[in-house]
Amino acid sequence: MDVLIVGGGMITADVFLPSLYELQRQGRVGELTICARSPVPLRALAGDATLKAAFPGQTFAAYPALNAPDATFEPDASRRCIEALKPRQLVVVAVPDEAHHEVVMMALRADQHVLCVKPLVQTHAHALEIEALARQRGLFVGVEYHKRFDRRSLVARGDYRAGRFGEFAMGEACLIEPWFYRRSNFQNWFQPATADPFTYIGCHYVDLVHFITGLKPVEVSVAAVERKFPNGKPGLMWTGARVRWENGALLNLLNGLGYPDLAAGSNDQGLVMYCEGEGRTGMIRHDDHNRGVSLAYLDGIGPGGSHFNYVSPDFFRLVERDGGGRRPLGYGFESVEALVAAAARVEASSDRQAELRALDASGLLATPSNSAFNELVVEAARGSLTQDGLPWRVEYGASPRVSPVAQRRP
């Protein structure tokens, strides 16, 4: 299939474009196009020295054109490019969270398979709308929760579901992105009315706990600390959240845009889960901050200009390959690879509906059907934020919904 990436930002540069270049080099995807509202980020992608050295001779079609003036602004770029794409190709949605629904629905109405960054959308109703249209047209929609492909996660899932830890009771997760995010394009879209650290990155660990345990979240409370970006715009820079699960277990999450630029590592992240068995306890601990590799550079080429870094070889790295250039490895690439393969499998199937049902049932890939609890959590979290952290209930059954828990602070 040909692939259109909508959005030319950080995730496209760091993961999607190199992953798709590799799949193109393997003959598993066709032509690549990237669209954005401005040509500036597209020129940066096309001229990226690391990507050019890793994938010599490979390039992408750009809209707007790479030689368009810097002041060019194309608000309808995604619509124009989706409409120009042959039916039943693949659209990768890599735009700010609040724009996901519009772009995903645009792609589905144009008969395109979809790969979307997490979270899929910000309301459960929108997730249901996407699921229904995709099912009707025999199209695959995959949500890129790449932590599902971390080998640690896959091992924990298998062992937990085999009963080797007991039942999840109490946990804690942390994911703090670096301070330099505040100097990036985040300051133009990461606004309090539509974005916060919990729904942007904390959703990874909510999804991961479900992925490991199969449990669903039933109550969410989130409070935030607001600060200003360098351009003066306000932003919710830090969040503290508590998620209660259907068996009564609790998960506390700390998220933010503020890991020190000069500290070791590109961020701070990890998960610990305590479980109970008969007369004893089990534990799952993932130190995702320090993965056992530390490097000290002569120059400040680490994230944020740092010299000393805890480097993760597990998420995404470009390494030497036979035949020249470099190839991606890590669970960031494997996640994209699996989602692209799933879209191709659905398209090639003689019974697309059966293939879609099988993907939903396996639970390895996040789809609108098997991961809609994430949208309920996002919706509940946004409600809780408007009430300074008061809890919101998540209800399932025939008509899933979220609602504030009737309680007053003492």
Side-chain angles (χ1 to χ4, degrees):
M1 291 184 290
D2 293 338
V3 180
L4 166 67
I5 305 176
V6 180
M10 187 184 305
I11 191 67
T12 295
D14 292 348
V15 177
F16 286 139
L17 182 54
S19 295
L20 290 166
Y21 269 162
E22 176 64 19
L23 295 176
Q24 185 184 56
R25 181 159 59 190
Q26 295 176 13
R28 298 166 67 184
V29 301
E31 295 180 4
L32 300 179
T33 302
I34 308 178
C35 71
R37 291 184 296 182
S38 164
V40 175
L42 303 182
R43 274 200 295 274
L45 290 170
D48 186 285
T50 298
L51 292 179
K52 289 171 75 172
F55 305 97
Q58 290 180 251
T59 187
F60 59 88
Y63 186 87
L66 297 178
N67 60 1
D70 286 0
T72 300
F73 182 70
E74 293 280 0
D76 291 333
S78 57
R79 179 183 60 80
R80 289 176 180 271
C81 290
I82 288 172
E83 289 177 351
L85 196 62
K86 293 180 298 184
R88 308 197 71 86
Q89 308 303 304
L90 178 65
V91 174
V92 176
V93 179
V95 294
D97 297 353
E98 70 269 20
H100 288 186
H101 176 252
E102 178 186 3
V103 178
V104 170
M105 289 298 291
M106 195 185 303
L108 292 175
R109 291 185 183 115
D111 279 328
Q112 306 297 345
H113 300 282
V114 174
L115 189 168
C116 184
V117 296
K118 52 68 199 158
L120 176 61
V121 281
Q122 295 184 313
T123 70
H124 184 255
H126 282 167
L128 293 181
E129 185 181 13
I130 288 168
E131 179 189 357
L133 183 56
R135 184 80 60 187
Q136 173 192 335
R137 301 196 176 202
L139 296 166
F140 173 73
V141 176
V143 192
E144 209 277 305
Y145 281 105
H146 47 249
K147 285 189 178 295
R148 292 183 174 212
F149 283 82
D150 188 336
R151 287 155 177 78
R152 294 159 178 78
S153 306
L154 292 165
V155 169
R157 173 184 169 95
D159 284 345
Y160 184 94
R161 296 187 181 216
R164 294 173 182 141
F165 299 112
E167 185 180 11
F168 174 48
M170 177 64 70
E172 186 175 47
C174 170
L175 209 174
I176 310 294
E177 296 289 19
W179 178 277
F180 70 75
Y181 275 34
R182 301 191 190 192
R183 301 192 298 272
S184 72
N185 190 48
F186 269 67
Q187 61 188 319
N188 296 318
W189 69 267
F190 202 83
Q191 303 303 305
T194 55
D196 66 90
F198 172 75
T199 60
Y200 174 66
I201 48 175
C203 63
H204 264 309
Y205 281 110
V206 174
D207 181 78
L208 187 56
V209 168
H210 167 81
F211 181 72
I212 291 170
T213 67
L215 295 169
K216 290 182 179 179
V218 295
E219 188 178 286
V220 181
S221 59
V222 188
V225 176
E226 183 176 309
R227 294 287 187 263
K228 289 188 182 295
F229 284 103
N231 63 3
K233 292 182 179 180
L236 303 181
M237 302 298 187
W238 306 92
T239 53
R242 188 183 78 169
V243 179
R244 185 178 294 277
W245 301 80
E246 60 185 321
N247 71 335
L250 292 174
L251 177 73
N252 295 313
L253 293 102
L254 178 65
N255 301 114
L257 308 181
Y259 183 73
D261 285 348
L262 297 183
S266 58
N267 55 31
D268 187 8
Q269 57 175 309
L271 169 70
V272 59
M273 299 169 61
Y274 290 95
C275 307
E276 294 183 347
E278 187 175 346
R280 57 197 186 278
T281 56
M283 182 183 71
I284 300 168
R285 182 183 293 273
H286 291 178
D287 182 354
D288 297 330
H289 174 65
N290 178 10
R291 300 201 180 219
V293 179
S294 57
L295 303 176
Y297 303 108
L298 294 176
D299 300 313
I301 61 171
S306 56
H307 289 256
F308 177 74
N309 262 242
Y310 296 132
V311 176
S312 171
D314 301 328
F315 171 53
F316 195 97
R317 307 294 288 183
L318 289 169
V319 298
E320 291 180 272
R321 67 183 286 274
D322 289 336
R326 291 177 175 261
R327 63 182 177 89
L329 55 76
Y331 62 84
F333 168 67
E334 290 169 7
S335 174
V336 174
E337 179 184 38
L339 290 161
V340 171
R345 200 158 64 245
V346 169
E347 183 56 30
S349 176
S350 59
D351 189 343
R352 290 173 179 149
Q353 298 298 334
E355 190 66 44
L356 289 169
R357 288 192 297 271
L359 286 164
D360 290 337
S362 90
L364 289 176
L365 298 176
T367 67
S369 174
N370 67 27
S371 70
F373 65 89
N374 281 312
E375 278 63 57
L376 288 166
V377 168
V378 167
E379 197 170 346
R382 296 300 302 174
S384 179
L385 280 165
T386 66
Q387 296 183 309
D388 194 28
L390 288 176
W392 276 52
R393 182 184 296 108
V394 178
E395 299 178 64
Y396 297 93
S399 301
R401 67 190 186 98
V402 302
S403 59
V405 175
Q407 70 175 52
R408 296 179 182 273
R409 291 176 181 263

